[in-house]
């Protein structure tokens, strides 16, 4: 019975961990793009995103990681034969990559707070897609184990994941271009209608 308790909370921790990572990098995107806003909106937004990032990282993402790893340890303790499984070795390898990603996000958070981050919003969007691939691979290894499918169905599913990630990037690019066009139009309107030419209302 202990094995099932460990497994249940391992899944809960895994979900919380990934939810935190997905939203954390999304906040990084908004934080980086806040530099394009005029003052005082720029300072207000950056301060707000910094608070949200710290709370998300320390209250949700890190606890999710700790629960995931602790419950995984419990699973292996109650079922040590799993150490002999090849699929588990691969899974642990991808979890190791995920841990590197997690700690790198913590480093980016500190750089954003110190105004030292060199990543653009577009680059951060690409970075935000990395956990998606890790999530798919880790879950498939956990479900199929040593019988990981390599047939056409598996490739179709993998292709759909790639297509979804590409669609998000394309959508973000289109939205950014539309925003730039809107700013250009607003600047043109302001140039054609300066405030000093607006007639004053007589009392």
């Amino acid at each position: 019975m202990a094995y099932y308790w460990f497994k249940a909370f391992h899944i809960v921790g895994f979900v919380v961990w990934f939810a935190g990572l997905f939203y954390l990098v999304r906040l990084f995107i908004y934080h980086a793009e806040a530099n394009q806003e005029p003052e005082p909106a720029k300072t207000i937004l950056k301060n707000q995103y910094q608070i949200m990032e710290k709370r998300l990282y320390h209250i949700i993402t890190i606890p999710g990681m700790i629960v995931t790893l602790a419950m995984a340890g419990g699973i292996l303790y109650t079922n040590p034969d799993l150490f002999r499984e090849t699929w588990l070795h691969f899974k642990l390898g991808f979890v190791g990559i995920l841990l590197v990603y997690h700690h790198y996000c913590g480093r980016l958070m500190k750089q954003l707070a110190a105004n030292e981050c060199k990543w653009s919003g577009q680059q951060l969007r690409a970075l935000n897609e990395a956990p998606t691939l890790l999530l798919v691979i880790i879950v498939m290894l956990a479900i199929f184990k040593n019988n990981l499918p390599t047939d056409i169905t598996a490739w179709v599913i993998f292709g759909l994941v790639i297509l979804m990630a590409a669609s998000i990037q394309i959508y973000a690019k289109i939205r950014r271009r539309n925003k730039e066009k809107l700013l250009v139009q607003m600047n043109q309107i302001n140039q054609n209608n300066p405030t000093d030419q607006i007639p004053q209302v007589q009392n």
Side-chain angles (χ1 to χ4, degrees):
M1 185 60 68
Y3 171 82
Y4 293 106
W5 280 107
F6 286 134
K7 190 171 184 178
F9 282 97
H10 175 67
I11 295 173
V12 171
F14 193 68
V15 172
V16 172
W17 189 13
F18 265 92
L21 289 175
F22 280 128
Y23 190 40
L24 182 64
V25 181
R26 177 58 54 179
L27 289 176
F28 291 169
I29 295 170
Y30 299 147
H31 194 152
E33 293 181 345
N35 288 317
Q36 303 172 6
E37 300 295 331
E39 293 289 1
K42 175 181 175 181
T43 300
I44 294 173
L45 287 171
K46 292 182 71 173
N47 289 339
Q48 183 61 38
Y49 289 137
Q50 184 176 340
I51 294 172
M52 294 172 67
E53 289 159 6
K54 286 184 177 180
R55 289 178 178 174
L56 177 64
Y57 189 71
H58 294 289
I59 299 176
I60 296 178
T61 311
I62 290 180
M65 176 192 68
I66 293 173
V67 171
T68 301
L69 298 179
M71 295 302 103
I75 291 172
L76 294 174
Y77 177 77
T78 55
N79 192 0
D81 290 339
L82 288 173
F83 281 112
R84 303 174 184 176
E85 299 290 340
T86 303
W87 67 269
L88 180 64
H89 301 159
F90 283 101
K91 181 185 175 183
L92 292 176
F94 285 110
V95 172
I97 296 174
L98 184 63
L99 286 169
V100 172
Y101 179 88
H102 171 102
H103 290 290
Y104 186 70
C105 285
R107 180 179 177 184
L108 284 177
M109 183 178 68
K110 294 178 181 179
Q111 290 178 352
L112 284 165
N115 293 320
E116 297 175 352
C117 182
K118 304 300 181 182
W119 288 69
S120 66
Q122 185 65 20
Q123 291 172 327
L124 288 169
R125 283 187 172 87
L127 181 68
N128 198 30
E129 303 305 326
T132 303
L133 297 176
L134 291 172
L135 175 62
V136 172
I137 294 172
I138 291 172
V139 170
M140 290 185 69
L141 284 169
I143 298 298
F144 293 101
K145 298 180 172 54
N146 290 326
N147 298 316
L148 189 66
T150 57
D151 56 9
I152 186 64
T153 303
W155 285 108
V156 168
I157 295 174
F158 183 77
L160 289 174
V161 173
I162 298 298
L163 180 62
M164 180 182 68
S167 299
I168 294 173
Q169 293 294 322
I170 293 172
Y171 171 75
K173 191 173 184 179
I174 293 173
R175 187 178 64 177
R176 188 175 66 257
R177 286 183 177 178
N178 290 338
K179 183 178 180 180
E180 291 173 354
K181 289 181 180 179
L182 180 62
L183 289 174
V184 171
Q185 293 174 355
M186 292 297 295
N187 289 332
Q188 290 176 347
I189 292 173
N190 291 333
Q191 291 175 358
N192 295 331
N193 299 284
T195 54
D196 59 354
Q197 294 181 1
I198 298 177
Q200 300 294 324
V201 178
Q202 299 294 330
N203 293 327

